[in-house]
Amino acid sequence: MSSQDIDGYELIYTERQQRVLGILSVLVAPLSVAGSSLIIFAIHKERQTALKSVYHRLVLGVSCMDWLGSISLIVFGPWAVPKEAEYFVAGARGSFTTCEVSGFFFPFFF
């Protein structure tokens, strides 16, 4: 077993790479919230004409789901992962309950 193996699982990323991925996901999510909010606002502002178009309705639906998913990533993020599994996800601070709650909501948004 190499130094990267833990309990028989070979880790794909180094600890530093895991930390960078965890930080980036939390930093980029607010940008996604802002972008989706702008799209939702623009379609809402022109709702009399925009909602007649299938394209605009689809874009509105995708933007709403992206907004919800990004908010859930900000709220749950790596903090929902149980702290016992920190060797898989850097920054894990949660419990098994937070993991189950985030696991319930993530499929709805992604």
Side-chain angles (χ1 to χ4, degrees), residues 60-98:
L60 178 65
V62 169
S63 294
C64 288
M65 294 309 289
D66 179 61
W67 188 88
L68 290 170
S70 297
I71 291 292
S72 70
L73 187 60
I74 293 169
V75 172
F76 295 119
W79 304 287
V81 178
K83 55 187 158 197
E84 293 83 12
E86 187 170 14
Y87 51 85
F88 283 118
V89 177
R93 300 285 182 262
S95 65
F96 288 103
T97 304
T98 59

Side-chain angles (χ1 to χ4, degrees), residues 39 42-43 46 49-63:
I39 292 170
I43 292 176
E46 301 292 329
T49 56
L51 291 180
K52 291 180 181 176
S53 165
V54 174
Y55 170 79
H56 286 100
R57 286 187 299 219
L58 286 172
V59 169
L60 178 65
V62 169
S63 294

Side-chain angles (χ1 to χ4, degrees), residues 2 4 7 10 16 18 20 28 30 34 58 76 78 83 98 108:
S2 71
Q4 291 294 322
D7 295 334
E10 184 178 340
R16 183 173 185 212
Q18 289 176 354
V20 168
V28 173
L58 286 172
F76 295 119
K83 55 187 158 197
T98 59
F108 292 113

Side-chain angles (χ1 to χ4, degrees), residues 90-107:
R93 300 285 182 262
S95 65
F96 288 103
T97 304
T98 59
C99 184
E100 289 176 349
V101 170
S102 69
F104 175 78
F105 284 110
F106 273 3

